[in-house]
Amino acid sequence: MKDVIVIGDMILDIMVNEFTCEMHKRKGTAMKQPAKLAAGGDAQNAASTMGRLGLDVALIGRIGDDDAGRMCLSMTGRAGVDCSHVVVVPDGVTSTCVSLVQNGEASGLYHRGENDRLTVDDIPVELFADTRFVNLHSLWSLPMLDPVCLFKKAKEAGARTFADTDNIPKNASLDDIDEVLPLIDVFAPSYSEVVQLTGLREPEEMIRVLLQKGVKIPVIKLGGEGCIFAEEGKTVKLPGYSITVVDTTGAGDNFAAGLTYGLCKGYSLKDCCRLGNASGAITAGQLASNGAVTSFMQLQEFMIRQDGCGVGGEEGR
């Protein structure tokens, strides 16, 4: 049985750190650090980290039969991800993004490529009967994919479902996803995304509204402040970890990977969210959205240094 089937964006990222607005005014500028190539995109980031953590994970997305696509398959395959169900389009174009990072935040120049053509018909839904989780990364990112249809098929097959959000249209609201929310077991948007969707400002009130909408386990990412989640009718807030921020790109995707890992391994929801916080923090401390998290033991050691204890009762000495 697969632990997770991850569905969504696949992008080849070209990361440039310490970018300044003055750079584009000069014909040539020497960089202090080399640019970095990485397999990016919400789904590819999450799946790669899950693979490195040791989950049995498959990735489903669309790429072109081009150099960028082949690099994505190579890098993601080396992370331990099953890429055999990725749709490779002979005349297609793989999505690419040039990310210019300044003061820990990235501005991207991107081409969506085959990501915008992914549909439910591209997904071998018969696989859902033999997987624990079906993860969609993310709502609103895939304009031709029907999340209601996708998650109905996942639930009919007995799989649990996970979703987060990205690329939310300016005037979108929770009403736009009323039909899909009750089909989501674990919903993990960011605080700013829920503000946009609801107009609410208090995380506890956000959690209450998501529960009312039918989400089984709402988890709201609070960036450097950690996260907040609901358990047994109560909201629990976990603080973030102390790091030096280099690049926050992909921190939310890696949070999702750590959270999903914990759920697959049967940890308490609190420990699952601690794993998510740790995975996101480690990612934000390095350049690029993928590759900073290398193993479960790395997460354990990080949490022991910061909290005095890991998950599963392991404590520092």
Side-chain angles (χ1 to χ4, degrees), residues 127-186:
L127 299 177
F128 293 173
D130 198 34
T131 188
R132 301 177 191 277
F133 271 91
V134 173
N135 283 30
L136 177 61
H137 299 275
S138 306
L139 293 176
W140 279 291
S141 285
L142 306 161
M144 294 185 68
L145 189 142
D146 180 354
V148 174
C149 177
L150 177 73
F151 282 152
K152 279 184 176 179
K153 291 181 182 295
K155 300 300 285 184
E156 288 167 2
R160 299 177 73 186
T161 56
F162 180 107
D164 53 16
T165 53
D166 198 8
N167 298 322
I168 301 174
K170 184 176 180 180
N171 296 318
S173 74
L174 279 186
D175 292 340
D176 298 329
I177 53 174
D178 256 354
E179 193 175 355
V180 73
L181 287 174
L183 299 171
I184 300 174
D185 289 306
V186 185

Side-chain angles (χ1 to χ4, degrees), residues 281-301:
I282 290 169
T283 298
Q286 297 188 32
L287 180 65
S289 59
N290 195 335
V293 177
T294 58
S295 68
F296 171 68
M297 186 55 63
Q298 177 196 24
L299 296 185
Q300 280 281 69
E301 292 172 351

Side-chain angles (χ1 to χ4, degrees), residues 49-109:
T49 297
M50 291 178 202
R52 293 188 183 97
L53 290 174
L55 292 182
D56 186 353
V57 55
L59 173 63
I60 300 175
R62 281 178 68 105
I63 58 174
D65 186 13
D66 52 20
D67 289 340
R70 285 185 283 275
M71 291 179 73
C72 285
L73 290 177
S74 175
M75 287 186 280
T76 305
R78 290 199 302 271
V81 177
D82 175 3
C83 296
S84 63
H85 303 290
V86 171
V87 178
V88 181
V89 182
D91 296 319
V93 177
T94 301
S95 178
T96 52
C97 179
V98 178
S99 292
L100 308 173
V101 182
Q102 183 178 19
N103 299 323
E105 297 290 335
S107 296
L109 306 170

Side-chain angles (χ1 to χ4, degrees), residues 178-256:
D178 256 354
E179 193 175 355
V180 73
L181 287 174
L183 299 171
I184 300 174
D185 289 306
V186 185
F187 186 43
S190 71
Y191 172 81
S192 62
E193 290 165 341
V194 185
V195 169
Q196 181 181 347
L197 290 170
T198 66
L200 300 172
R201 297 286 173 177
E202 293 300 324
E204 291 82 1
E205 181 68 7
M206 294 174 176
I207 290 288
R208 185 186 66 79
V209 168
L210 291 176
L211 287 170
Q212 288 178 343
K213 290 286 187 178
V215 175
K216 312 301 185 298
I217 302 174
V219 179
I220 297 174
K221 298 170 288 192
L222 303 176
E225 299 300 313
C227 68
I228 187 169
F229 61 93
E231 186 173 38
E232 297 180 353
K234 298 180 180 180
T235 56
V236 180
K237 185 176 179 181
L238 289 179
Y241 290 113
S242 177
I243 61 162
T244 299
V245 174
V246 175
D247 175 19
T248 59
T249 308
D253 306 331
N254 281 268
F255 176 97

Side-chain angles (χ1 to χ4, degrees), residues 36-51:
K36 185 173 182 178
L37 290 176
D42 300 353
Q44 197 162 221
N45 290 335
S48 296
T49 297
M50 291 178 202

